[in-house]
Amino acid sequence: KFSLKRIFHYLLYGNVEVCPGNSVLGHNSHRCLGEHLSMVESTVMLSLLLHHFDWELVKGRSSLEDLRQNLLIFPADGMPVRFHLRK
């Protein structure tokens, strides 16, 4: 059942049990019509960043040593990255 209150609660507190599915693009019959366009735009943006910039980890490999886990596995420090425009 769609509930705007559940979505706001999920966005504020990050409680997955309160709002299952992808609350940003919706889920089930409330899925966003632009979901596929959004995925294409994200893919194009990432490919442009990879093509035009060199990336480096700010803290080197130490970002990958302290990992946290919820539904995903991720670095505790957020894995900060520096971008340098390629010449």
Side-chain angles (χ1 to χ4, degrees):
K1 178 179 170 184
F2 176 76
S3 169
L4 194 56
K5 182 178 178 181
R6 286 177 30 194
I7 291 174
F8 284 134
H9 191 278
Y10 174 75
L11 292 174
L12 291 174
Y13 304 108
N15 188 347
V16 176
E17 288 79 28
V18 172
C19 185
N22 186 344
S23 66
V24 176
L25 297 175
H27 62 284
N28 297 335
S29 62
H30 302 285
R31 179 162 254 136
C32 177
L33 294 175
E35 176 184 17
H36 298 292
L37 176 61
S38 172
M39 295 303 286
V40 170
E41 288 177 334
S42 299
T43 303
V44 169
M45 188 65 192
L46 180 60
S47 66
L48 288 172
L49 285 172
L50 289 171
H51 182 72
H52 293 289
F53 291 89
D54 289 321
W55 298 35
E56 72 174 308
L57 295 174
V58 172
K59 298 180 180 178
R61 292 189 55 85
S62 66
S63 288
L64 302 175
E65 293 171 0
D66 184 19
L67 298 177
R68 301 273 167 84
Q69 182 176 359
N70 54 21
L71 294 176
L72 303 171
I73 297 173
F74 58 95
D77 66 356
M79 198 163 70
V81 176
R82 272 194 203 105
F83 299 97
H84 302 283
L85 187 60
R86 289 185 181 165
K87 294 180 183 180

